[in-house]
C-alpha cells in the first residue's frame, strides 16, 4: 500500500517554519531553484508535489488530505492501515 499524505506548498510553509525553518536539502538548494531558501523551497516543493500527484494518478496511491491538523492526519492514517490489515487476514503460520 502507498499512502500519499498530500499537502500543498502554501499549507506546508507554516509547518516548516514552525518546525525550525527551511532546510538546505528540502529547499532544493543543491540545484538552486531560487535566489534564497524561501524561493527555492517554494519552487522545489511545488515540483515535488506535481510529480507525486502524477505518480498518485498513475499508480493509484491512496491520497490522504494532510492539510488537516497533524494529529488528525496521523489518526486517519492509522485507521487506513488498520483497515488494510483487517482485510488481509491473519498472517500465515510459519513452516
Amino acid at each position: 500500500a502507498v499512502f500519499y499524505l498530500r499537502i500543498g506548498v502554501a499549507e506546508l510553509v507554516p509547518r516548516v517554519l514552525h518546525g525550525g525553518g527551511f532546510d538546505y536539502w528540502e529547499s532544493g538548494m543543491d540545484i538552486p531553484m531560487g535566489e534564497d531558501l524561501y524561493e527555492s523551497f517554494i519552487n522545489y516543493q511545488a515540483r515535488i508535489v506535481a510529480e507525486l500527484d502524477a505518480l498518485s494518478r498513475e499508480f493509484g496511491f491512496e491520497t490522504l488530505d494532510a492539510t488537516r491538523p497533524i494529529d488528525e492526519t496521523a489518526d486517519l492514517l492509522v485507521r487506513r492501515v488498520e483497515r488494510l490489515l483487517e482485510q488481509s487476514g491473519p498472517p500465515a503460520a510459519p513452516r
Side-chain angles (χ1 to χ4, degrees), residues 37-56:
L37 275 174
Y38 174 78
E39 184 179 350
S40 191
F41 178 88
I42 297 296
N43 294 328
Y44 185 64
Q45 292 297 323
R47 288 178 69 178
I48 289 174
V49 169
E51 288 297 322
L52 288 170
D53 286 347
L55 288 169
S56 180

Side-chain angles (χ1 to χ4, degrees), residues 7-92:
I7 187 169
V9 177
E11 295 89 8
L12 184 58
V13 169
R15 289 189 183 183
V16 170
L17 291 174
H18 181 72
F22 299 110
D23 173 89
Y24 180 87
W25 301 109
E26 291 176 348
S27 296
M29 290 301 289
D30 54 324
I31 50 169
M33 302 192 70
E35 296 297 318
D36 56 31
L37 275 174
Y38 174 78
E39 184 179 350
S40 191
F41 178 88
I42 297 296
N43 294 328
Y44 185 64
Q45 292 297 323
R47 288 178 69 178
I48 289 174
V49 169
E51 288 297 322
L52 288 170
D53 286 347
L55 288 169
S56 180
R57 285 189 301 275
E58 182 177 351
F59 295 105
F61 299 167
E62 184 166 351
T63 302
L64 305 178
D65 177 8
T67 62
R68 300 171 188 212
I70 294 169
D71 290 342
E72 284 182 32
T73 302
D75 290 343
L76 178 61
L77 183 58
V78 166
R79 288 194 305 273
R80 297 293 170 87
V81 170
E82 286 174 341
R83 185 175 68 197
L84 182 66
L85 292 173
E86 289 169 1
Q87 292 171 351
S88 68

